[in-house]
Amino acid sequence: MDARSRDDSLSQARDGGNDGLRPSQPGTPLAGKPKVQQPKPQALPNRSGPSAILVSTRQKGNPILNHIKLLPWEFADIPADYVVGTTSCALFLSLKYHRLHPEYIYSRIKLLAGKYNLRIVLVMVDIPNHEDPLRELSKTSIVNNLTLMLCWSAPEAAHYLELFKSSEHAQPTAIRTQQAQSYKESLVEFVTTPRSINKSDAASLISTFGSLQNAVNAQPEQISAVPGWGEKKVQQWCNAVREDFRVETTKKASAPASKAPRPMERAVRMPDQSAMDEDEDEAVLRSVMEESRRMAESANTPSKPSQPAEQLDDGIAAALAKLRESGG
């Protein structure tokens, strides 16, 4: 066999051996290999609006801008002084300026024209006598659906603006307190209500007595045997579980005497007390009956010297006046 025929046979063998190894056409999966799963794109939350605090050009030179450092801000042509969200804005007002130009804030409120849902009036309290202006601004805020925020310094005002902007997309659950999800969590929350009693103390208390009812009814000597419970914790726990749910009413106080008090004038009741106690009513009735009995005995017994009629009449009149006051 010459060299040429030998090369042809080698080339045919190579072509025949590679027929089964040729790659498949595009679109036809290879046999025995799993299909490649493409990842699905996830939808991002729609957060429209700028990420910076928009500042009106009217606020150029305001020292508040020097203290806004946590978030970016930029000047913009807006009707409000600051835009801290898509539907939130703020108007800045200095009480010192408001005292000189009281009509300024009303013209600014008119320019808003209901463009924002949350409309804040950030008031800088920089005058000593601020009660009357704040009372006026409070009424104005209620009428015009505004939220009044007070600050006493430029850093505090800047911090409020940063908080409103950072909470633009926060959920309402961010400020909601965490509720207990199980009975154990509710039990620990109840036991740790008094101060200085922590979660480990609550676990020791329940494990010692077995139930909350036994812990509530236990004596202070028994509670002091709980590990980690000192005299202070025992006293606070006993006071918390034994005090009344309803505060007792204060004792009746008498009103100050007038300039010219009458001889038989009695102590009057305080305006916040509506009626006397039942024991006092019964005492007044007994006094009236006693005075009537004495008057009858004095009339039926001529041998004994009777009391003057004026004194008897005054005593009965005083008792009746007291009874009348207690009923009113």
Side-chain angles (χ1 to χ4, degrees), residues 269 274-276 281 284 320-328:
R269 300 144 67 69
S274 60
M276 296 176 62
D281 295 339
V284 172
L320 293 175
K322 187 175 181 180
L323 180 61
R324 193 179 301 112
E325 292 177 357
S326 64

Side-chain angles (χ1 to χ4, degrees), residues 218-245:
Q219 298 298 324
E221 295 81 8
Q222 299 173 336
I223 301 176
S224 60
V226 178
W229 282 67
E231 182 180 357
K232 183 178 179 181
K233 293 181 181 180
V234 172
Q235 185 67 26
Q236 290 182 351
W237 171 258
C238 294
N239 293 338
V241 298
R242 284 171 174 78
E243 66 182 0
D244 297 332
F245 287 98

Side-chain angles (χ1 to χ4, degrees), residues 33-301:
K33 291 187 177 181
K35 186 178 180 181
V36 178
Q37 297 291 337
Q38 297 294 334
K40 296 181 179 180
Q42 298 180 357
L44 297 177
N46 185 15
R47 296 188 176 184
S48 59
S51 59
I53 300 176
L54 300 183
V55 183
S56 174
T57 53
R58 302 184 184 89
Q59 297 298 305
K60 287 184 177 180
N62 194 328
I64 293 179
L65 302 178
N66 298 329
H67 298 279
I68 302 178
K69 300 178 180 179
L70 300 180
L71 295 174
W73 60 272
E74 58 185 16
F75 288 110
D77 186 12
I78 52 177
D81 292 334
Y82 302 93
V83 173
V84 292
T86 307
T87 60
S88 305
C89 72
L91 295 176
F92 178 77
L93 179 64
S94 169
L95 287 184
K96 186 180 296 184
Y97 185 85
H98 178 69
R99 186 170 55 182
L100 299 176
H101 306 278
E103 74 285 348
Y104 167 77
I105 187 63
Y106 299 100
S107 61
R108 296 301 310 279
I109 295 174
K110 186 177 180 180
L111 290 177
L112 295 180
K115 294 182 179 180
Y116 301 92
N117 295 335
L118 177 59
R119 307 191 297 177
I120 305 165
V121 179
L122 189 59
V123 178
M124 174 76 75
V125 182
D126 50 4
I127 59 176
N129 301 325
H130 53 267
E131 290 81 6
D132 292 338
L134 289 180
R135 188 179 299 110
E136 173 197 351
L137 291 174
S138 299
K139 295 179 181 178
T140 303
S141 301
I142 295 174
V143 173
N144 295 277
N145 191 22
L146 302 171
T147 301
L148 191 65
M149 297 291 297
L150 304 182
C151 59
W152 277 260
S153 62
E156 183 182 3
H159 183 60
Y160 282 143
L161 294 176
E162 292 174 345
L163 284 179
F164 279 111
K165 182 60 179 178
S166 60
S167 304
E168 178 183 2
H169 303 289
Q171 297 296 328
T173 55
I175 59 175
R176 185 184 304 170
T177 57
Q178 186 177 2
Q179 300 294 331
Q181 301 296 331
S182 62
Y183 172 76
K184 183 179 179 180
E185 295 178 358
S186 302
L187 183 61
V188 172
E189 183 179 356
F190 174 81
V191 176
T192 55
T193 300
R195 290 185 177 181
S196 74
I197 299 179
N198 52 34
K199 295 183 178 180
S200 61
D201 297 332
S204 301
L205 182 69
I206 300 302
S207 62
T208 301
F209 293 98
S211 65
L212 179 62
Q213 181 179 2
N214 296 335
V216 171
N217 297 329
Q219 298 298 324
E221 295 81 8
Q222 299 173 336
I223 301 176
S224 60
V226 178
W229 282 67
E231 182 180 357
K232 183 178 179 181
K233 293 181 181 180
V234 172
Q235 185 67 26
Q236 290 182 351
W237 171 258
C238 294
N239 293 338
V241 298
R242 284 171 174 78
E243 66 182 0
D244 297 332
F245 287 98
R246 185 167 60 92
V247 181
E248 296 181 358
T249 56
T250 57
K251 295 182 179 180
K252 184 180 68 173
S254 59
S258 59
K259 296 182 180 179
R262 292 178 295 179
M264 302 304 298
E265 184 179 10
R266 302 292 181 180
V268 298
R269 300 144 67 69
M270 297 299 292
D272 58 342
Q273 294 180 346
S274 60
M276 296 176 62
D277 297 337
E278 294 181 359
D279 296 340
E280 296 179 358
D281 295 339
E282 294 178 359
V284 172
L285 291 175
R286 284 196 299 267
S287 63
V288 172
M289 295 175 63
E290 185 68 20
E291 292 291 341
S292 301
R293 187 179 61 82
R294 289 179 182 178
M295 184 178 64
E297 290 179 354
S298 61
N300 296 331
T301 309

